[in-house]
Amino acid sequence: MKLKLIALGLLATTSIASAADLPARTYTKAPIVSPAFNWTGFYIGAMGGYGWSDSQGMDLKGGFAGGTLGYNWQGAGSPWVFGIEAEGAWSDIGQTAGIVGLLTVGTKIEGFGSVSGRIGYAFDNVLVYGKGGVGFASNEVNVAVLGVNFNDSKTHVGYSVGAGVEVGFARNWSVKAEYLYAGYGSEDYFVSTAGFLRSGDIEVQTVKVGLNYRFGAY
């Protein structure tokens, strides 16, 4: 009987020693997966760029700067992004031609803007989009005859279409690059004078870069 108890004691001691030699069990946390970038939300931004036009034989060109306000909607798990966007800019796109002191004719787009619908395809934080809508421009015509100036301004209304790429680089911030083509309808200038000048349609192309801040991003 004593021998049996001694044997059981030795067996228990050996088992405890063997268990003590086993490595401690390690626990690994599941990796934290960041949610996919989502474009939904209101946004506001600043933009600027360069524009040009060769409409009606005039070689208009110059810079511009302005602001952007819009809203995007992207369904959960969907790459498609839909939105509406309004833009407005101060502009220095223009040209003056003729002989100074004798006769010169100048035209300058002092400001322009658009209200457009947007549709895009998102590759996570990279959005490729197209846009189109109503465009408008404030244009001034200046005629100088023997040093006497005549000025008239009109607002032209038409359409605008374009495309661009926008990249989200933080929770709320994104940058974009965009090309836009605008066609503005003709207006008659100096109607109140003895004669008038018909502008014809004005076609303007612009390239711009912009920075947007999106509210309520997740």
Side-chain angles (χ1 to χ4, degrees), residues 43-47 66-70 85-88 176 208 211-212:
Y43 61 92
I44 187 170
M47 56 83 172
T68 305
L69 182 66
E85 182 176 88
E87 288 188 312
K176 71 177 181 181
K208 69 168 74 80
L211 175 68
N212 290 335

Side-chain angles (χ1 to χ4, degrees), residues 22-194:
L22 292 175
R25 179 178 294 180
T26 57
Y27 295 91
T28 56
K29 292 183 178 180
I32 299 174
V33 179
S34 299
F37 194 92
N38 191 285
W39 290 90
T40 297
F42 288 97
Y43 61 92
I44 187 170
M47 56 83 172
Y50 184 81
W52 66 94
S53 172
D54 57 2
S55 302
Q56 311 304 319
M58 299 290 286
D59 184 22
L60 280 64
K61 54 189 174 183
F64 62 89
T68 305
L69 182 66
Y71 179 81
N72 286 323
W73 180 84
Q74 180 181 9
S78 172
W80 293 101
V81 179
F82 303 90
I84 185 168
E85 182 176 88
E87 288 188 312
W90 295 275
S91 167
D92 192 35
I93 302 173
Q95 183 202 24
T96 298
I99 301 174
V100 177
L102 182 60
L103 172 64
T104 61
V105 178
T107 182
K108 184 174 76 170
I109 299 174
E110 298 181 310
F112 64 90
S114 64
V115 178
S116 306
R118 296 207 316 171
I119 181 171
Y121 192 93
F123 301 89
D124 193 34
N125 67 319
V126 178
L127 176 65
V128 180
Y129 65 88
K131 61 186 290 188
V134 178
F136 50 89
S138 174
N139 187 65
E140 180 186 60
V141 173
N142 177 276
V143 177
V145 181
L146 299 175
V148 180
N149 292 319
F150 301 90
N151 297 289
D152 197 6
S153 297
K154 298 290 183 179
T155 298
H156 297 248
V157 179
Y159 66 93
S160 63
V161 292
V165 178
E166 190 168 354
V167 180
F169 63 90
R171 176 184 172 88
N172 298 86
W173 294 94
S174 62
V175 292
K176 71 177 181 181
E178 181 183 291
Y179 166 84
L180 193 71
Y181 175 93
Y184 305 114
S186 178
E187 291 289 336
D188 295 336
Y189 289 77
F190 306 107
V191 177
S192 60
T193 61

